[in-house]
Amino acid sequence: MHIPTPLRERGIDRVHAWSIPMTTRFRRITERDGLLLHGPEGWAEFSPFWDYDAAESTAWLRAALEDATTPRPAPRREEVEVNATIPVLPPVLAARIATVGGARTAKVKVADPGSDLASDAQRLEAVRDAMGSDARIRIDANAVWTFEEALEALPVLDRAAGGLEYAEQPCAALEDLAALRRALDIPIAADESVRRAEDPLRVARAEAADLLVMKVQPLGGVTRCLELAEEAGLPVVVSSALESSIGLGAGLALAAALPELPHACGLATATLLTGDLAPQPLHATGGTLPVGRTAPSEELLARHAADDALAARWEERLAACASLL
Ligand SMILES: O=C(O)CCC(=O)C1=CC=C[C@@H](O)[C@@H]1C(=O)O
Ligand SMILES: [Mg+2]
């Protein structure tokens, strides 16, 4: 694959396109794909979702370039506590994956077009039953509710879950998030209001969230996330963008470098992929993941190589983003 000049100049000497089917449909996708870039520090991942245009995807490229070419920040911890991530599934299946990898925290997807409030509540009840009373359960509504819908749904789901750790992005608008915080006793986390906003700190200034979800690629890299976290002054939950274990490693580097990490991180998503690029994929044990750089094997790069048509789309996308750097 052609390596754009600005990347070559930064020391990128290899680019590889990959594609791996997901175990379950998540975020309306059934297949995860992207590029790995190799540079002086090792391999890094560039894998913006296809609904991100070139301008928005350029932050993802900055993140990958930083990770491939500059040393990661000094870690303050060697392992990171992670949550199980539970897609919109029937209660029996949701309960089965709630404790995968020994997780003591679960994040349950709700408000999907394919589910309703009653089935979301049943999923939460099943997850609480499976995990026990001391586990933490959070939900993620991906910004789909109106304020009124959230005001109705959140107390119902809070009861079904036997208490929510927090609700992630119940509504899209900052005013609605702020009003929910005032109206309810359930902490609110901002995700889309951070990762897709022109100003990721506006949500903190608007007092519209109790905590911030940070994803390394959409926010432009580990260093930028650390700066944003310091400026925001709110607790941070590091979460993945459904990367392979190569990209998850950058999320773990951020989680390891944050001065404080009071909540489990959403980085245990390698189990949502049917395969991985690293011989030892980042699958949690004892509810944690180890911090450190993960390298792919040649065998797995070959096994999961994108076909020619997909590789050509990625080559084009890389060129477009590189020209915007
Ligand atoms: O936070 C987690 O437990 C895992 C990551 C996760 O849920 C997500 C990753 C990428 C895209 C998203 O739709 C989703 C999220 O909204 O947080
Ligand atoms: Mg989210």
Side-chain angles (χ1 to χ4, degrees), residues 26-27 49 83-85 107 109 138 140 142 168 191-192 195 213 215 239-242 265-267 269:
F26 193 85
R27 206 187 177 275
F49 296 111
N83 61 273
T85 303
K107 175 168 113 171
K109 286 280 182 182
R138 56 183 77 153
D140 188 355
N142 287 109
E168 185 170 323
D191 175 14
E192 283 83 348
R195 97 177 116 101
V213 174
K215 298 186 167 143
S239 178
S240 82
L242 309 181
C265 288
L267 294 168
T269 51

Side-chain angles (χ1 to χ4, degrees), residues 71-146:
R72 288 175 171 172
R76 295 169 188 260
R77 44 191 78 79
E78 283 170 9
E79 49 182 36
V80 169
E81 194 187 340
V82 289
N83 61 273
T85 303
I86 305 187
V88 175
L89 288 171
V92 179
L93 295 179
R96 205 175 291 165
I97 59 172
T99 54
V100 164
R104 299 306 301 142
T105 301
K107 175 168 113 171
V108 181
K109 286 280 182 182
V110 297
D112 188 79
S115 70
D116 55 24
L117 189 56
S119 58
D120 285 344
Q122 283 163 7
R123 190 173 326 109
L124 282 164
E125 281 166 13
V127 169
R128 173 61 76 192
D129 278 352
M131 297 188 86
S133 59
D134 62 339
R136 286 161 300 275
I137 299 179
R138 56 183 77 153
I139 55 173
D140 188 355
N142 287 109
V144 307
W145 283 321
T146 62

Side-chain angles (χ1 to χ4, degrees), residues 14 36 38 42-44 246 277-279 294-301:
R14 210 177 142 192
L36 293 191
H38 183 265
W43 287 95
I246 311 307
L277 303 170
T294 311
S297 71
E298 291 300 331
E299 192 217 323
L300 290 168
L301 287 178

Side-chain angles (χ1 to χ4, degrees), residues 3-13 40 65 69:
I3 303 175
T5 310
L7 272 58
R8 267 204 188 284
E9 284 171 357
R10 299 268 307 264
I12 301 300
D13 54 13
L65 267 179
T69 62

Side-chain angles (χ1 to χ4, degrees), residues 220-243:
V222 172
T223 306
R224 173 125 195 282
C225 289
L226 287 171
E227 288 163 4
L228 289 172
E230 193 183 339
E231 265 190 76
L234 289 176
V236 168
V237 174
V238 182
S239 178
S240 82
L242 309 181
E243 288 98 340

